[in-house]
Amino acid sequence: MPPQLKTLLPVLAVFICIFLVARHFLIPDSFGKYGHYRANSMDEIAALPAHHIGKAACMDCHDTEAAKLNSDLHSGLTCEVCHGPGWQHMDDPEKNKLSKPGTREFCGKCHDMNPARRTSVIHQIDIKTHNIDRANCIDCHNPHAVWEMKD
Amino acid sequence: MGNERLNSSRRNFIRKSALLAGTLVVGSAVKPFQAMLFAANEPEKTMPWYAIGIDIEKCIGCGSCARACKAENDVPKEPFFFRSWVEQYTIKNDGTLAVQSPNGGIDDFVQTVPEAEIFKSFFVPKMCNHCAKSPCVQVCPVGATYESPEGIVLVDEKYCIGCRYCIQACPYGCRYLHPEKQTADKCTLCYHRLKKGLNPACFDVCPTGARIYGDLHDMNSPLHKFLKEHSTQVLKPQLNTGSKLFYNGLSSEVR
């Protein structure tokens, strides 16, 4: 073996060792557990709080509204479609009020006439002409039980 | 002359066979790393393998999914950042196409094409296709985006360097750069909700049941029923992305 190689070999060995040690510390524990990524990041994503808490959770405190909603044609809707996500409201209902949208624009998001909406799926009215003598839809329709009319 | 040609063609033959043999050797050596080349393979059936079904005929374009998604995942309210959004396609009688998506469907859809000119109009809700051979995963230089063993494409925020390669790579436009975090962001199929036993937010709020998700391994899941009962299609099948978002009633005009 040429002498210059003999002196270079230890240097090479040292470099490989440094590389291995650095690699050990730079690569996170869970990297490569399932694939070319950090498996722990899945747990981090899974730990995020859920914002929509679901109908069942609202029902615990608002059983009259929930019973009413389930009794009529809006039974397929969750509370949070209209009222927005309820996670903060659940913790402190007095401080974190939810919105109560009953305007023409809001109901119109589902019910306004549009040729792309199938009448077999959703009943539609023209929000610009349907009973415009009252400002809002909820002046007549009860949002929870839609055919319970105010007069 | 004739001899020379014979020689050169023999040389060519040997060269080509050597190339073929070399490719085979390299190919077989690379095989164990296939996962890196083609992203995840469908794993053993120990975990669910999630897929999505969307029934275009039932979608009423109310945008509840887009609103709920923004609220659930703290997506910036400012327009044009969406994990889940809705588009309205209108095919006119003369064959031309009009597509609109007012603030991703969060604002009301208003049909601007006069009724008499409309041949067909429908809504297409869009979200991440959670491809099994995701182009976005393949281009990530740092291993910050990946397919989970459940078949969900996720982003590791801590590792993402914000290079935007994946945003370019996604053929469905499902990724964006989060303006505050400066990392790539996308639909996680509400992974945090799935792990808590809840439905993803957009599926929960859909008023007409136009969206279905489920485990492809579970032959009794509602998703399998949906796939059996309808003739479904994925977006851009020619790209072979292994998309797991199946549409019923998809027109070829949808891109």
Side-chain angles (χ1 to χ4, degrees):
Chain A
M1 193 185 285
Q4 66 268 38
L5 260 191
K6 263 188 200 150
T7 45
L8 275 180
L9 271 181
V11 179
L12 188 68
V14 167
F15 268 118
I16 290 177
C17 287
I18 293 176
F19 171 76
L20 288 177
V21 171
R23 188 176 178 276
H24 175 76
F25 284 106
L26 286 178
I27 292 186
D29 282 345
S30 59
F31 202 95
K33 188 173 166 196
Y34 296 116
H36 190 65
Y37 60 93
R38 204 165 57 92
N40 282 354
S41 78
M42 285 196 285
D43 301 334
E44 284 161 22
I45 296 173
L48 294 172
H51 295 190
H52 290 75
I53 58 175
K55 213 181 209 170
C58 307
M59 223 182 262
D60 288 343
C61 300
H62 298 290
D63 48 353
T64 41
E65 277 85 7
K68 194 156 249 180
L69 188 78
N70 287 337
S71 71
D72 208 345
L73 284 154
H74 272 176
S75 58
L77 311 189
T78 61
C79 315
E80 286 157 317
V81 177
C82 297
H83 291 295
W87 61 309
Q88 287 162 326
H89 172 77
M90 188 171 66
D91 293 339
D92 191 350
E94 254 100 75
K95 223 168 86 202
N96 303 307
K97 297 242 160 121
L98 294 174
S99 63
K100 296 190 286 182
T103 57
R104 291 193 162 255
E105 286 68 39
F106 184 79
C107 303
K109 284 185 191 300
C110 292
H111 287 290
D112 196 13
M113 285 286 185
N114 192 318
R117 293 188 177 130
R118 312 269 161 119
T119 35
S120 58
V121 179
I122 186 93
H123 285 87
Q124 296 154 56
I125 44 93
D126 189 342
I127 56 167
K128 289 198 203 71
T129 56
H130 177 75
N131 294 321
I132 34 172
D133 43 319
R134 307 250 187 119
N136 290 325
C137 310
I138 54 168
D139 294 340
C140 292
H141 298 277
N142 181 332
H144 301 138
V146 283
W147 284 124
E148 192 177 275
M149 310 291 272
K150 289 180 199 157
D151 24 44
Chain B
M1 176 79 179
N3 209 7
E4 211 172 83
R5 199 196 280 147
L6 194 75
N7 266 343
S8 88
S9 77
R10 182 181 292 159
R11 199 173 294 142
N12 260 343
F13 173 74
I14 292 172
R15 209 175 271 158
K16 276 185 186 148
S17 335
L19 196 69
L20 197 69
T23 321
L24 278 178
V25 170
V26 172
S28 55
V30 162
K31 182 108 200 307
F33 302 102
Q34 203 192 23
M36 280 156 78
L37 292 178
F38 297 112
N41 285 315
E42 188 172 337
E44 304 287 307
K45 299 194 173 181
T46 51
M47 285 210 195
W49 183 245
Y50 287 113
I52 305 148
I54 292 183
D55 194 342
I56 286 178
E57 292 177 6
K58 280 193 191 165
C59 179
I60 58 170
C62 62
S64 299
C65 45
R67 271 189 297 280
C69 179
K70 279 210 175 190
E72 179 68 39
N73 296 298
D74 301 318
V75 177
K77 286 280 181 306
E78 215 182 300
F80 312 127
F81 299 117
F82 302 100
R83 290 182 174 196
S84 167
W85 71 100
V86 188
E87 293 168 0
Q88 179 170 18
Y89 281 72
T90 305
I91 303 166
K92 297 183 204 162
N93 282 331
D94 59 7
T96 52
L97 189 65
V99 187
Q100 58 158 334
S101 184
N103 193 7
I106 288 177
D107 297 344
D108 307 352
F109 283 99
V110 179
Q111 183 56 271
T112 46
V113 183
E115 190 107 29
E117 283 177 31
I118 298 175
F119 173 67
K120 188 178 174 190
S121 184
F122 51 89
F123 298 106
V124 184
K126 290 200 172 166
M127 62 189 284
C128 173
N129 291 240
H130 294 287
C131 309
K133 292 180 251 173
S134 312
C136 57
V137 169
Q138 290 167 43
V139 299
C140 182
V142 294
T145 184
Y146 54 90
E147 280 168 47
S148 81
E150 299 100 329
I152 302 174
V153 180
L154 297 172
V155 178
D156 182 349
E157 268 173 22
K158 291 200 181 144
Y159 256 54
C160 178
I161 54 171
C163 71
R164 301 171 176 83
Y165 279 177
C166 54
I167 300 174
Q168 295 273 314
C170 177
Y172 308 109
C174 295
R175 287 172 170 255
Y176 66 96
L177 196 80
H178 197 290
E180 283 140 36
K181 298 187 217 156
Q182 293 295 319
T183 57
D185 199 45
K186 68 178 288 299
C187 160
T188 61
L189 200 61
C190 283
Y191 193 72
H192 59 296
R193 293 177 65 85
L194 286 177
K195 285 282 156 172
K196 294 179 179 74
L198 300 164
N199 294 329
C202 57
F203 295 86
D204 228 16
V205 298
C206 181
T208 58
R211 304 168 153 260
I212 299 164
Y213 80 100
D215 178 6
L216 279 182
H217 289 160
D218 176 8
M219 295 310 275
N220 298 317
S221 67
L223 179 74
H224 260 291
K225 190 168 177 293
F226 174 81
L227 293 177
K228 270 183 281 190
E229 285 175 354
H230 301 95
S231 68
T232 56
Q233 210 188 324
V234 297
L235 288 173
K236 300 188 183 167
Q238 74 276 19
L239 297 180
N240 191 21
T241 53
S243 163
K244 294 202 258 56
L245 169 47
F246 302 96
Y247 286 100
N248 174 41
L250 193 72
S251 289
S252 56
E253 282 84 358
V254 180
R255 284 155 304 180

